[in-house]
Amino acid sequence: MRDGNNGVVRFYSPSAARRAESLALEAELSVRLIPVPRHLSSDCGLCLRFETADAKELCATLENGNVDFGAVKSI
């Protein structure tokens, strides 16, 4: 992943974050679970980093997989 072209998805639970990572990897998206950056807050402490070019596809993948997620932000 290139720096400056990334975003994060926040989750309400660690299990949702892990499921999101699994679904995204199955969809061949470039993602990685990371600790939530300090300038953001989260209920579970994990977020999914992704390339911003994949934002729409990632959100659709998570919605189709019934993953409960919070904010999607560029970083």
Side-chain angles (χ1 to χ4, degrees), residues 11 19 34 41 44 46 48 50 55 57 67-69 72 75:
F11 299 93
R19 177 155 165 69
I34 62 169
S41 64
C44 82
L46 291 173
L48 190 66
F50 64 93
E57 185 177 356
V67 176
D68 191 20
F69 62 96
V72 178
I75 56 170

Side-chain angles (χ1 to χ4, degrees), residues 10 13 16 22 25 31 52 61 67:
R10 297 184 327 193
S13 70
S22 177
L25 291 173
V31 298
T52 54
T61 298
V67 176

